[in-house]
Amino acid sequence: MKRLLAILLSLVMSFILAESQVYAIPENQNLEKQEYLVQFDVSSYKGLSEDAINTEFKNVLNSINIEEVDILKAYHLLPVYCVRLSEEQAQVLKELSIVKAVEPNYKVKASEPITQMIESEEVKPLQDTIPWGIERVQATDAHYYGYYGSGIKVAVLDTGIDGGHYDLYVRGGYSVFNDSPYYDGYGHGTHVAGIVAALENSYGVLGVAPDVSLYSVKVLGNDGYGSISGIVEGIEWAVNNNMNVINMSLGSSSYSSIFEDYCNYAYNSGLLIVAAAGNSGNSYGTGDSVEYPARYSSVMAVAATDYYDKRASFSSTGSDVEIAAPGVDIYSTYPDNNYAYMSGTSMACPHVAGAAALVWSANPNLTNIQVRQKLVNSAKYLGNRYHYGAGLVQAYNAIYY
């Protein structure tokens, strides 16, 4: 009997020791680390303050030998951390019930423009040029009846916006990098911003919604690349600063549940999110190639059309395409008081963001869901929904739909 009790006691102790080593990582290993996003499940911490919860989560991270220097960023709207982890540490975290998700900090890039032409100083337009896409989405019709987007805040999450461009009025912004949100070393964000909001100032070009409050949220670097961690930081800024519309002319082929949760959070907080469907389509229009975040249900995925209202051959296709807009040879602002032609779903996306601003300005009591429904229900039917979604966005029709 004593022998049996001794065996049972030995087994119990072995089990306890095994459980106590769940978080253990050998300290003598020289393990290569990479950036991850870690999302915790807060369901067990109801009633605790944010500081108390953060302390609990940091205790978990410290228990597997994660040093303070490796905790790169703590987010606030959701219990997410950007952390440097070894593969072994990441695996241990994935196995904990308190952890909802552990994901690599995926790279994201600007939806690369297909063509580009910069105009020289000598040939800049001396009066407002109305790019063909602005008329095609009925923005000029809305302008005629006095709707210019006043009172609506649009955050452009991109490579920054040239704050000194005389055809743009940037009200504010934020950068996830160590530089200014008003510096755009890549040109992409400034071009996108002009499509949304180039001023009606008898010079340069005209945007879809020239009276919107335009904000530059720099989440992509001067090479056009960024990461999920930077974009969710930008979304946090947009939510905390009461934006109405988020424009994301960027994408990735990698799914992230954390990125999706952030888009859902912003959407459920009342923001309308518009994103480029991607430039991964083919000339046959086959396949499902819509990128993230456009692929998420809380985000409007925008495809690109040409001057003849046909799908641009590069425009991504699939069941997640929600709406279409001009995206070929689009003339808009560019850094250093220049202008450029670019093509891509990056250019289609801000046409829809601007149209949303016009609709919301005309109907300020609408919710983001209602604005989205108006845009979709009033779109001009173009054909295959996998190519065009509901069809070509029509701002004026949406205002009165």
Side-chain angles (χ1 to χ4, degrees), residues 164-177:
H165 201 294
Y166 41 50
D167 217 1
L168 296 170
Y169 178 24
V170 185
R171 304 294 184 99
Y174 178 77
S175 176
V176 304
F177 304 100

Side-chain angles (χ1 to χ4, degrees), residues 272-306:
L272 183 66
I273 310 171
V274 186
N279 299 338
S280 303
N282 57 62
S283 58
Y284 300 102
T286 57
D288 189 349
S289 55
V290 177
E291 297 181 350
Y292 302 101
R295 209 176 178 95
Y296 302 139
S297 62
S298 55
V299 178
M300 295 189 75
V302 185
T305 55
D306 63 16

Side-chain angles (χ1 to χ4, degrees), residues 214-288:
L214 179 66
Y215 291 83
S216 173
V217 184
K218 188 168 184 174
V219 298
L220 303 177
N222 296 319
D223 59 355
Y225 282 85
S227 62
I228 299 295
S229 63
I231 295 171
V232 299
E233 185 177 343
I235 292 174
E236 277 206 345
W237 186 91
V239 172
N240 289 333
N241 287 273
N242 303 310
M243 297 294 112
N244 299 109
V245 181
I246 291 176
N247 186 98
M248 288 192 281
S249 293
L250 48 81
S252 169
S253 60
S254 299
Y255 170 75
S256 164
S257 66
I258 294 172
F259 194 2
E260 182 174 24
D261 282 353
Y262 258 94
C263 290
N264 293 344
Y265 188 100
Y267 188 62
N268 293 334
S269 298
L271 284 74
L272 183 66
I273 310 171
V274 186
N279 299 338
S280 303
N282 57 62
S283 58
Y284 300 102
T286 57
D288 189 349

Side-chain angles (χ1 to χ4, degrees), residues 119-191:
E119 290 208 331
S120 68
E121 291 283 341
E122 290 73 20
V123 292
K124 286 178 185 174
L126 297 178
Q127 58 184 3
D128 264 333
T129 295
I130 302 176
W132 73 268
I134 305 301
E135 291 185 311
R136 192 63 56 88
V137 302
Q138 296 186 330
T140 49
D141 294 329
H143 299 169
Y144 181 81
Y145 287 95
Y147 303 119
Y148 290 88
S150 176
I152 304 303
K153 295 180 177 181
V154 178
V156 175
L157 273 62
D158 214 291
T159 59
I161 300 174
D162 180 359
H165 201 294
Y166 41 50
D167 217 1
L168 296 170
Y169 178 24
V170 185
R171 304 294 184 99
Y174 178 77
S175 176
V176 304
F177 304 100
N178 292 322
D179 63 354
S180 170
Y182 315 117
Y183 172 71
D184 179 9
Y186 193 65
H188 190 269
T190 301
H191 195 272

Side-chain angles (χ1 to χ4, degrees), residues 22-40:
V22 165
Y23 298 167
I25 299 292
E27 295 185 4
N28 59 351
Q29 291 191 29
N30 183 18
L31 301 173
E32 183 179 350
K33 295 183 178 181
Q34 61 176 321
E35 290 185 14
Y36 286 84
L37 289 174
V38 179
Q39 183 175 9
F40 287 93

Side-chain angles (χ1 to χ4, degrees), residues 10 20 28 30 43 59 63 121 172 203 230-231 319 340 367 377 386 393:
S10 177
S20 70
N28 59 351
N30 183 18
S43 59
N59 287 340
S63 70
E121 291 283 341
Y203 196 92
I231 295 171
S319 60
T367 66
N377 293 339
Y386 278 42
V393 65

